[in-house]
């Protein structure tokens, strides 16, 4: 039994880490959302598109991997959320398909829609992707409208055990103001990351200066929405699990208590916040500093990781049900079998090698900054 609990905790850590990395990689979407705000000339837009175009596959692959890991380790969440809230997830995925189509076809000779239309697709993905992903993550704390009936597993006619409680199928998440607030926080964080990435990746004084100026407004808006959501979450009642009876009940200040009772997670969260503020602050104060993306990127991963661990660890229901509190999903009642988790744990040993390959590929792609000369020589891919 102890091994099974360890594997559940381990796989929540893996899924949370993938989710945290995904939020960092949303700098691609954030950068694309700035395309027409900062790229006032065709040359600047070309540099911006080629800058994000060299990294968009990392984000898309991580999104797919995140979904796959969730499906394999916590299949009941996958069937409940992806199966019930499918309109929310389908819009997210469709926006990412728009992104892929845009990169592929915008520079093709004779494309019917024109380059600006495809660039608009990038902006749509840059807004919709982070906003809805943030809203989806917020439901880990605010709850969703579903109920579970595991007795239906023996129903030969309709063995469906999870049902959505309304006809909106996920879009109802946007009617909760706190889901929208976290969605906006993720959106503005993605724009901050996008601007920092351009500063690091593009050698054009005018465009880089615009990116630095855009940091101020986007940082302020990010902090307002992020702090509002965090403060509300720490002060709100949370969905706790009785370890003996497995009963789910509301506990005052649950997520605040989780931080206090898990000091390592609290330290990870605080270090992440400090790194984010340091990276942004030094970029604004020192005009020659272009490494802010790495400080803010690592800080983002640590902060999001800590929040997701707080949502699932310490006897907490990570996917609460507002319809029937006992239907809320926990690590114990929604995970795969011990055999499956153990087998996948062996496979997960390969993850560090994959990360090392991504780092190597990133360094190889970014061996020199993008500049106007490269665009004029036709060396760009998009």
């Amino acid at each position: 039994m102890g091994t099974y609990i360890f594997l559940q905790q381990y796989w929540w850590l893996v899924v949370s880490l993938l989710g945290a990395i995904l939020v960092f990689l949303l700098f691609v979407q954030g950068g694309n959302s700035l395309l027409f705000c900062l790229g006032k000339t065709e040359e600047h837009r070309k540099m911006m598109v080629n800058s994000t175009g060299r990294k968009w596959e990392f984000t898309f692959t991580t999104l797919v991997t995140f979904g796959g890991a969730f499906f394999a380790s916590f299949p009941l969440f996958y069937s409940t959320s992806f199966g019930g809230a499918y309109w929310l997830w389908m819009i997210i995925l469709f926006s990412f398909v728009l992104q892929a189509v845009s990169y592929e076809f915008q520079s093709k000779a004779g494309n019917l829609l024109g380059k600006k239309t495809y660039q608009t697709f990038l902006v749509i993905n840059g807004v919709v992707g982070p906003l809805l992903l943030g809203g989806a993550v917020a439901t880990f704390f605010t709850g969703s409208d579903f109920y579970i009936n595991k007795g239906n597993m023996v129903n030969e006619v309709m063995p469906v055990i999870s049902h959505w409680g309304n006809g909106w199928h996920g879009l109802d998440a946007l009617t909760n103001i706190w889901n929208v607030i976290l969605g906006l926080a993720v959106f503005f964080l993605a724009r901050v990351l996008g601007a920092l990435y351009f500063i690091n990746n593009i050698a054009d004084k005018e465009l880089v200066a615009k990116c630095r100026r855009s940091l101020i407004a986007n940082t302020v808006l990010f902090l307002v929405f992020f702090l509002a959501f965090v403060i509300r979450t720490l002060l709100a009642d949370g969905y706790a699990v009785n370890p003996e009876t497995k009963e789910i009940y509301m506990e005052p200040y649950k997520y605040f208590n989780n931080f206090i009772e898990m000091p390592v997670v609290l330290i990870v969260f605080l270090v992440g916040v400090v790194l984010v503020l340091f990276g942004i602050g030094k970029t604004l104060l020192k005009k020659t500093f272009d490494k802010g993306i790495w400080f803010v990127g690592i800080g983002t991963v640590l902060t999001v990781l800590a929040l997701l661990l707080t949502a699932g660890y310490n006897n907490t229901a990570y996917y609460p049900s507002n319809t029937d509190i006992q239907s809320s999903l926990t690590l114990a009642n929604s995970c795969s079998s011990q055999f499956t988790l153990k087998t996948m744990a062996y496979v997960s040993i390969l993850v560090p090698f994959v990360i090392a390959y991504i780092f190597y590929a990133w360094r190889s792609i970014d061996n020199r900054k993008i500049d106007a000369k490269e665009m004029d020589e036709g060396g760009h891919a998009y």
Side-chain angles (χ1 to χ4, degrees), residues 129-314:
L131 184 63
L132 294 190
L133 278 172
V137 171
T139 61
F140 287 5
F141 300 92
T142 61
S144 296
D145 188 9
F146 66 91
Y147 58 95
I148 303 291
N149 183 4
K150 291 188 176 182
N152 279 353
M153 291 181 69
V154 297
N155 187 331
E156 295 181 359
V157 178
M158 184 174 287
V160 179
I161 63 176
S162 56
H163 301 267
W164 210 252
N166 60 69
W168 289 92
H169 293 290
L171 295 181
D172 48 292
L174 301 180
T175 63
N176 185 313
I177 185 62
W178 293 108
N179 295 342
V180 175
I181 285 175
L182 185 61
L184 289 170
V186 173
F187 168 65
F188 287 112
L189 173 61
R191 286 167 72 94
V192 168
L193 289 165
L196 290 169
Y197 175 69
F198 288 145
I199 292 169
N200 178 258
N201 192 243
I202 296 177
D204 185 278
K205 289 184 178 180
E206 182 182 354
L207 182 55
V208 167
K210 289 181 179 179
C211 290
R212 291 184 185 276
R213 288 195 293 271
S214 75
L215 274 179
I216 300 174
N218 286 301
T219 298
V220 170
L221 290 169
F222 158 64
L223 289 175
V224 168
F225 290 116
F226 178 72
L227 290 175
F229 182 83
V230 170
I231 292 171
R232 179 265 174 189
T233 300
L234 294 179
L235 296 179
D237 294 349
Y239 296 79
V241 183
N242 186 315
E244 302 297 330
T245 64
K246 307 304 179 185
E247 179 189 7
I248 300 167
Y249 62 97
M250 300 304 295
E251 177 183 317
Y253 310 111
K254 172 58 177 172
Y255 302 106
F256 176 80
N257 294 337
N258 282 357
F259 272 128
I260 299 302
E261 294 168 11
M262 297 187 294
V264 173
V265 176
L266 176 59
I267 291 171
V268 169
F269 177 79
L270 294 176
V271 170
V273 171
V274 169
L275 285 174
V276 169
L277 296 177
F278 173 80
I280 295 172
K282 189 167 183 178
T283 302
L284 290 174
L285 296 175
K286 189 175 181 180
K287 300 304 180 184
T288 58
F289 183 72
D290 64 357
K291 301 293 191 296
I293 181 64
W294 300 116
F295 290 96
V296 179
I298 294 172
T300 296
V301 171
L302 294 177
T303 303
V304 176
L305 174 62
L307 286 174
L308 291 177
L309 293 181
T310 303
Y313 280 178
N314 199 38

